[in-house]
Amino acid sequence: MKIAVYPGSFNPLHKGHISVINKATKLFDLVYIVVTKNPDKTTNNFIDDNKKIIENYFKNNSKIIVIVNKNKLTGLLAKELKANFIVRSSRNNMDFEYEFDLANANNFINNDLETIMLFPDYDFKNVSSTILRHKKSMESN
């Protein structure tokens, strides 16, 4: 069985994430969407809400299990879940450099873990959770 984890804060879940998740379910038998605390972000208080939103969106997809990770390194969590693949994505060169370093770190923690880069559909390559949060913030003022 090919099992993957797709970690992220998903705050908010957007069409780019959905595009990557749909592609991942074509490649893997089971995909754990791991709603994760990001130590570099201040929006971690929505982690349980984000999990519920993702569960509701993908409720009819039996290949997806949504879980929350508040304090484990992704490489160790993947090992616990018997996942040998981690799904990541990038929109540009800057994202790719970050993802490359992250892949090396995850492989150091769990040398059975292989990072698979999936790119969102071209129409969504400029969509980011940060931009969507900023837009929503500006609209509410």
Side-chain angles (χ1 to χ4, degrees), residues 15-16 19 23 91 119-128:
K15 291 179 181 180
S19 172
K23 290 176 182 191
R91 297 174 302 252
F119 302 99
D121 293 339
Y122 186 77
D123 292 346
F124 309 127
K125 79 175 190 77
N126 293 318
V127 177
S128 81

Side-chain angles (χ1 to χ4, degrees), residues 5 7 9 12 17-20 24 33 40 49-50 65 68 80 82 85 93 102 122-123 131 134-136 138 141:
V5 294
S9 57
H17 294 136
I18 293 166
S19 172
V20 169
I33 301 174
D40 298 326
D49 294 335
N50 295 344
I65 297 174
V68 167
E80 287 178 17
K82 299 185 179 4
F85 301 94
N93 289 340
L102 193 59
Y122 186 77
D123 292 346
I131 290 171
H134 289 184
K135 182 179 177 189
K136 184 177 179 182
M138 295 303 288
N141 288 333

Side-chain angles (χ1 to χ4, degrees), residues 3-33:
I3 302 171
V5 294
Y6 180 35
S9 57
F10 305 103
N11 189 23
L13 176 70
H14 57 68
K15 291 179 181 180
H17 294 136
I18 293 166
S19 172
V20 169
I21 292 165
N22 286 333
K23 290 176 182 191
T25 60
K26 291 177 185 176
L27 297 172
F28 301 102
D29 300 308
L30 179 62
V31 177
Y32 286 98
I33 301 174

Side-chain angles (χ1 to χ4, degrees), residues 73-128:
L73 294 172
T74 302
L76 296 177
L77 178 64
K79 188 177 277 194
E80 287 178 17
L81 297 171
K82 299 185 179 4
N84 288 347
F85 301 94
I86 181 170
V87 172
R88 299 297 295 170
S89 184
S90 85
R91 297 174 302 252
N92 53 44
N93 289 340
M94 191 170 79
D95 279 358
F96 184 80
E97 290 294 324
Y98 172 80
E99 294 298 338
F100 185 78
D101 291 341
L102 193 59
N104 285 326
N106 279 317
N107 187 259
F108 179 78
I109 292 166
N110 177 353
N111 60 7
D112 293 326
L113 189 61
E114 189 63 46
T115 297
I116 305 297
M117 292 294 290
L118 294 178
F119 302 99
D121 293 339
Y122 186 77
D123 292 346
F124 309 127
K125 79 175 190 77
N126 293 318
V127 177
S128 81

